[in-house]
Structures are given as C-alpha cells and as structure tokens.
Amino acid sequence: MQEQTKSHSFIFPKSSTGVDGLDEITNGGFPKGRPTLICGGAGCGKTLLSMQFLIKGITEHNEPGVFMSFEEPSDDLTLNVKSLGFDLEKLKKSKKLIVDHVRVERSEIEEAGEYDLDGLFIRLGHAIDSIKAKRVVLDTIESLFAGLDNQAILRAELRRLFSWLKQKGVTAIITGERGEATLTRQGLEEYVSDCVIVLDHRVTEQVSTRRLRIVKYRGSTHGTNEYPFLIDENGISVLPITSLKLNNEVSSDVVSSGLAGLDGMFEGGGFYRGSNILVSGTAGTAKTTIACYFATQQCKNKEKTVYFAFEESPQQLVRNMKSVGVDLQKFLDNGTLQIHSSRPSLNGLELHLLTLRKLIKEFKPTTIIIDPISNLISVGSEHEVKSMLVRLIDMLKVNNITALFTSLNKQTENFRPDLAEESVSSLVDTWITVRDMEGIGERNRGVFIIKSRGMGHSNQVREFIITNNGIELLDVELGPQGILTGSARKSYQFKKTISDIKLQNEISRKDREIERKRRVLQANIEALRNEFESAEEELSILKATELLQEKLSSNRKKE
C-alpha cells in the first residue's frame, strides 16, 4: 500500500522550457538531466527556441547554460538574438552563459583511423564545469558529423554523446536538420533522445505558419497534436489546444449592451459576464455600431476592452463613430480601450489566436470584440476556420472574458448561414441578428434575438434607426398586415394621429354641447326656483293676512 502511494506521488523531474505555452504542452517542460532533440527545416526556429530555453533558465531559474554552435560564430549569434531582447553579452559577463563556436569544415577533415568526440567532450565539459551549467545546447549536430561517411562510427559516437550528456546531469537540447524520410539527417538521434520535438514551417494559400509537434517524450504524458507557434519581438510563444472538458467558471453578473432598447429585450437587462455574443447581419445593418456601443459601455464601467478591427483603421473607426455620438478616443487616451487593426491575411488563423492570447496575458482585458469574425474565412479552409473558432471561444470562456463577435452575412435567396456564422452560432451564448426589412421603395433596419442561453428574451423584431445621437430602438407598431416599418409606420402613425385629432375634436364638440345643455338646464331650474319662491311668497302673505283677520275678530268679541 505504501509503495502504491509513493508511485502516485512521484513527479517526473522537468526543466521549464522558457517558452510561453510549451510548458503546458509538455506538462512541465523538457526532461531534466536528459537530452531533447529539436529538429526541423531551415528557418523554422530551432536555434531561437534553444537560445530562449537557455536565457529563460538563467534569468528565471538561475540555471547557467552553455550554447555550443557548429554553424554560427558567437558574434553573429549574439547580434541575431539581440533584436528579440536577448542580451548575451551581459549574461556572459555575469558568468552565467558561455557561447562557444566550434568550426567544422568537411574539406579539412581527413578520415583516418578512428573518429571520436573526445575533444568535444573535453571542451564542452570544461565549459559546463567552469560555470556549473545546468543547461546545454548543441546547434546543430549535422555539422559535427559532416565529414563522416562511416555510419557505424557515426552511430556509436552519437550514442556516446547522448550518454555523456546524461552522465553530466545537464538538461540538453540538440538541434538537427530534417531528413528526407526521417526526422533528422542521420535518422538515429530521434531514437536515442528522450524527448523529440519537430518544428515545421509551411506556407498555405500564401500564408506562412510555423507549427510544433512532440513526437515522443519518455516517462511523461504530453500533447500529441500540432501546435502553431509565433516568433515576435519577445521570442517564441506556442498556442496549445485548450481543454475540451468544458469546466470553466460562470458568472451571474449582467453587463449592459450600451443600448437601453436592446437591454430591454433581455429579461436580465443585458448579457451575462463571460458569455459570447454573436451579432450577425448583412452589410450596412449597423453591426459595427452595436459593437462600438458595447465597447463604450464596458469602458465606462472601467472594464479593459480590446477591439479587433479587420476592416477599418483605428482612426477611421474613431471618426465614423463620432457621427453617431460615440466617442472612442477618450477611452483610447485613458488606456481602457485598445484597437488592433489589420487585414486577416496578415497572419494565419493560428497566429491570430496567438496574438489574442498574448494580449490577454499582457493587457488582461475583460472584454474582447472581433469585427467581423467572418473575414477570417479568407485565411483558411472550412475545417481550419471551424477549429480555430472553437478554440477561440474555448480560450475566452476559460479566461471568463465577455466577447462580442460580428459576422457579415451574404444576401442570398436561400438564407443559408455563412461558414463563420454556422461554425460559431451553436457555440455562442447569445445570438442577435440585424437585418434589412425592405418595403416599397425603402430599406429599414430591424433587430431580433435568436437565442440567449439562461435568460428570457423578447421574440419581437424591433425596428431601429441611426441618428446623430446614436441608435434608437422604436416601439413595435402592429397594423392590419403585421409589423409596420419605415414609411408604412409613419403613414400609420399619421393616420392614427389624424384619427386621434378627429376623436378629440368630436369629444370637445360633445363637451361643448353638454355644457350648453347644462347652462339651459341651470337657467330653467333658476326660473322655476324664482316661480316657486314667488308662489311661496304669495302664500306667506295670504297666511299673514288670514292670521291678522283672526286676531281682529277675537278682539271684537272681547269688547
């Protein structure tokens, strides 16, 4: 029972790769104290990945390193990586890094007797011992055996080299060039290495993409797919395929769309935080305007927002939105909003994902807008677009980022959804459609909600107009033939106004007639009252006269 517990608690020793995303794929890094083979064609990033492994080991883990090059001189290597922010001279002066160039010329090598690497072992061993190096890079191994034709000696020395590196206890990277039918020229390195990584640089539809794949990793689980990676001013970063377990956290907080009328169409008054919203529609239906209203509202709430624009420059977007009362410039100035504009063809699909992932890590936004997501179709095939969109939404959900996508639909007779809309519509939490509602000689805009997971919503099609003060959702007008829009709405409202005026006039006339009858009635009542008072007065006089006569008669009798 004790032995079983110990085996479960064992952690395979690994060294961090220093490459963003690669530790996640390798489940912790390269095998510690063992050699790793990185192979690939020219220009795929073997030397850069190896150098980044050394430098990050020094700066982040205090592990000195030795870089032994068989191709590039030390000065050239130092200059090449300086553009990526790697200062080799500073690290060499601090006795943390040794860069050694071993010149191997095939023309100067004469194969006589036995060939061995004892000289290399002495030179490399001295470099390792002098700074107590923990990491070693040999770049590239083909140059070391360039003058050898004897395959038996070559294989024996390769095995001895890998064994020697293990005995030294250093975590080593050995780079190799891709062979025709094998991973490397000799075809042996991949078998004696504990970890083998293949780098690939391919061009599809005139779009360049670099990819990485772990062929094997002894003693450890690892990702087995192809992963795109990006080389930029910060070095190499890899985009792992995100988890498929769908166990991300959710929030019950509601964020406003920035449009009071649109919020009113949701029972919760907006969108759930961390949800994904799709706004689809044909050209000219105000998708970008809706997206900018949402961005403005989020920035007002001090939420960091990133806006990816694939059709307009930041300056054009800011200018255009001013015409509808949306001021994006002040949020750009205070740092809550970033606008990134580029053509989709600037990068492949995966590199767009990498760029987004890098921004999430650096800027830490809570809101991301992609306008329009349908433009990415031009960069890849149908399968690639679907795969990329799934991973994009997965990545945003894992980071609890509220995302709004716009999608441009083509106006077709069969109303079949476009590829981007079809790919993403089942994944998003809220789907809003804006569309043209054509009448007699005019075009009007309408908005309706197709779905909103976890929140009740209106089933009505609401017409909206765009004025200098922004978007205004109009109340639903129902006529004899259904919902009225545009001039039909205005005509109906005009007729309704005329009818209301006629009704009001008729009511006023009736009021005046009643008032006149009331006055006549009051006059008649007053005349009757006067007549009654006269009769009453006469009766009083008669009674007084009668009473007086009775008194006089009584007095006479007494006399």
Side-chain angles (χ1 to χ4, degrees):
M1 190 72 180
Q2 262 184 336
E3 290 179 5
Q4 189 178 3
T5 306
K6 285 181 180 178
S7 64
H8 281 297
S9 62
F10 173 74
I11 299 175
F12 191 88
K14 296 185 178 183
S15 294
S16 173
T17 64
V19 176
D20 187 25
L22 187 53
D23 281 352
E24 185 177 342
I25 298 169
T26 56
N27 200 19
F30 296 142
K32 194 167 188 175
R34 299 186 182 188
T36 295
L37 175 66
I38 298 178
C39 52
C44 61
K46 300 185 297 296
T47 302
L48 178 58
L49 191 150
S50 305
M51 184 60 75
Q52 189 166 333
F53 167 72
L54 279 187
I55 292 173
K56 294 293 184 178
I58 295 169
T59 57
E60 296 179 2
H61 304 284
N62 195 27
E63 295 184 357
V66 174
F67 190 100
M68 184 165 282
S69 172
F70 303 111
E71 288 187 341
E72 292 183 89
S74 301
D75 294 341
D76 291 350
L77 195 61
T78 301
L79 186 62
N80 291 343
V81 299
K82 195 169 186 178
S83 61
L84 301 173
F86 300 155
D87 190 352
L88 300 190
E89 292 297 334
K90 182 180 178 182
L91 296 176
K92 283 193 270 187
K93 288 178 182 178
S94 63
K95 305 295 183 183
K96 294 290 186 181
L97 175 67
I98 292 179
V99 179
D100 191 7
H101 175 240
V102 178
R103 183 170 169 268
V104 180
E105 290 291 341
R106 181 168 184 172
S107 60
E108 298 177 5
I109 296 175
E110 182 180 350
E111 197 169 342
E114 293 188 0
Y115 178 89
D116 58 46
L117 299 177
D118 288 343
L120 174 68
F121 294 160
I122 294 171
R123 188 165 178 172
L124 184 57
H126 174 72
I128 293 172
D129 295 337
S130 63
I131 61 171
K132 297 180 180 179
K134 301 293 184 184
R135 301 186 179 205
V136 171
V137 172
L138 300 180
D139 182 43
T140 68
I141 198 164
E142 276 76 21
S143 300
L144 187 60
F145 297 103
L148 268 183
D149 293 326
N150 191 321
Q151 292 295 315
I153 295 176
L154 187 148
R155 287 172 176 268
E157 289 304 301
L158 271 175
R159 290 182 185 277
R160 200 157 72 95
L161 172 61
F162 279 71
S163 178
W164 183 85
L165 289 170
K166 282 186 179 181
Q167 290 174 6
K168 293 296 288 185
V170 293
T171 305
I173 286 183
I174 298 165
T175 66
E177 296 176 2
R178 192 75 179 265
E180 293 183 4
T182 56
L183 296 179
T184 56
R185 294 277 181 88
Q186 315 302 337
L188 178 67
E189 298 94 321
E190 61 244 43
Y191 295 104
V192 295
S193 300
D194 289 271
C195 177
V196 179
I197 296 176
V198 176
L199 304 184
D200 179 40
H201 188 194
R202 68 187 67 167
V203 178
T204 306
E205 301 266 337
Q206 301 180 356
V207 176
S208 170
T209 306
R210 291 182 172 90
R211 296 178 185 269
L212 173 150
R213 181 169 66 93
I214 302 173
V215 177
K216 78 171 185 179
Y217 197 139
R218 288 174 181 159
S220 174
T221 57
H222 58 87
T224 56
N225 296 308
E226 278 194 324
Y227 304 94
F229 67 92
L230 175 68
I231 298 177
D232 59 11
E233 67 278 3
N234 297 319
I236 292 179
S237 53
V238 183
L239 178 67
I241 296 177
T242 47
S243 172
L244 301 178
K245 293 183 180 178
L246 298 177
N247 57 356
N248 55 286
E249 296 182 0
V250 296
S251 172
S252 297
D253 296 339
V254 174
V255 295
S256 171
S257 66
L259 294 167
L262 185 57
D263 287 344
M265 296 179 72
F266 295 92
E267 285 187 4
F271 316 126
Y272 283 126
R273 182 182 297 278
S275 63
N276 298 292
I277 305 101
L278 174 65
V279 179
S280 63
T282 53
T285 49
K287 299 181 298 297
T288 299
T289 306
I290 292 173
C292 288
Y293 263 92
F294 180 58
T296 302
Q297 183 62 42
Q298 291 296 88
C299 290
K300 286 180 180 178
N301 296 337
K302 308 298 181 183
E303 304 274 356
K304 287 186 176 181
T305 303
V306 176
Y307 194 114
F308 283 92
F310 290 135
E311 293 182 336
E312 297 178 276
S313 67
Q315 296 83 358
Q316 183 180 356
L317 189 64
V318 170
R319 182 202 65 187
N320 293 347
M321 287 303 105
K322 280 185 178 179
S323 65
V324 292
V326 177
D327 185 9
L328 298 177
Q329 188 61 50
K330 64 180 181 181
F331 301 116
L332 289 170
D333 294 339
N334 65 23
T336 54
L337 175 65
Q338 286 188 6
I339 300 177
H340 294 267
S341 295
S342 65
R343 291 296 180 193
S345 54
L346 174 67
N347 293 316
L349 288 172
E350 311 296 353
L351 295 191
H352 282 297
L353 269 181
L354 273 175
T355 303
L356 181 57
R357 185 171 183 265
K358 183 179 175 183
L359 275 172
I360 291 174
K361 184 176 180 181
E362 294 176 355
F363 187 58
K364 293 181 173 55
T366 57
T367 306
I368 284 179
I369 296 169
I370 300 180
D371 177 34
I373 201 169
S374 49
N375 276 24
L376 296 173
I377 295 174
S378 61
V379 186
S381 64
E382 180 175 348
H383 173 74
E384 289 173 337
V385 170
K386 288 183 177 180
S387 174
M388 179 265 191
L389 293 178
V390 169
R391 286 154 64 187
L392 169 64
I393 291 177
D394 193 16
M395 181 174 65
L396 294 173
K397 282 186 174 293
V398 166
N399 289 278
N400 197 29
I401 292 174
T402 309
L404 186 143
F405 313 121
T406 68
S407 178
L408 176 64
N409 295 347
K410 295 178 183 177
Q411 209 160 11
T412 56
E413 294 180 358
N414 55 8
F415 295 102
R416 184 182 181 275
D418 289 319
L419 174 59
E421 184 183 63
E422 186 179 12
S423 302
V424 80
S425 59
S426 63
L427 301 172
V428 296
D429 302 298
T430 301
W431 185 4
I432 300 170
T433 294
V434 282
R435 68 179 187 184
D436 294 325
M437 298 187 294
E438 294 186 6
I440 302 175
E442 65 179 13
R443 181 175 69 91
N444 304 298
R445 299 181 179 94
V447 59
F448 64 95
I449 303 167
I450 295 180
K451 72 171 184 178
S452 183
R453 289 173 177 159
M455 184 180 293
H457 54 276
S458 171
N459 63 349
Q460 292 180 325
V461 179
R462 294 283 298 275
E463 183 185 4
F464 66 93
I465 57 174
I466 303 176
T467 66
N468 294 337
N469 297 322
I471 293 178
E472 179 185 353
L473 268 71
L474 305 177
D475 293 332
V476 176
E477 286 285 355
L478 292 175
Q481 298 175 342
I483 296 177
L484 302 176
T485 61
S487 34
R489 169 197 286 271
K490 291 181 180 178
S491 176
Y492 178 78
Q493 288 178 340
F494 179 74
K495 290 179 180 178
K496 187 178 178 182
T497 302
I498 295 298
S499 176
D500 290 344
I501 291 173
K502 287 182 178 180
L503 178 61
Q504 191 63 39
N505 289 338
E506 183 66 18
I507 291 173
S508 298
R509 188 184 67 79
K510 288 290 185 182
D511 284 342
R512 290 194 299 272
E513 184 178 347
I514 290 295
E515 183 63 28
R516 285 195 297 271
K517 286 184 177 181
R518 181 182 292 108
R519 287 198 297 268
V520 170
L521 177 61
Q522 288 177 349
N524 291 335
I525 290 173
E526 187 66 26
L528 289 172
R529 182 180 290 111
N530 292 335
E531 185 178 347
F532 176 78
E533 289 176 352
S534 298
E536 190 177 34
E537 186 178 352
E538 288 179 3
L539 180 61
S540 297
I541 293 172
L542 289 173
K543 286 183 177 181
T545 303
E546 184 181 6
L547 182 62
L548 182 60
Q549 287 177 351
E550 287 179 356
K551 284 183 177 182
L552 290 174
S553 299
S554 152
N555 291 334
R556 286 181 187 148
K557 287 178 181 180
K558 288 179 179 180
E559 291 176 356

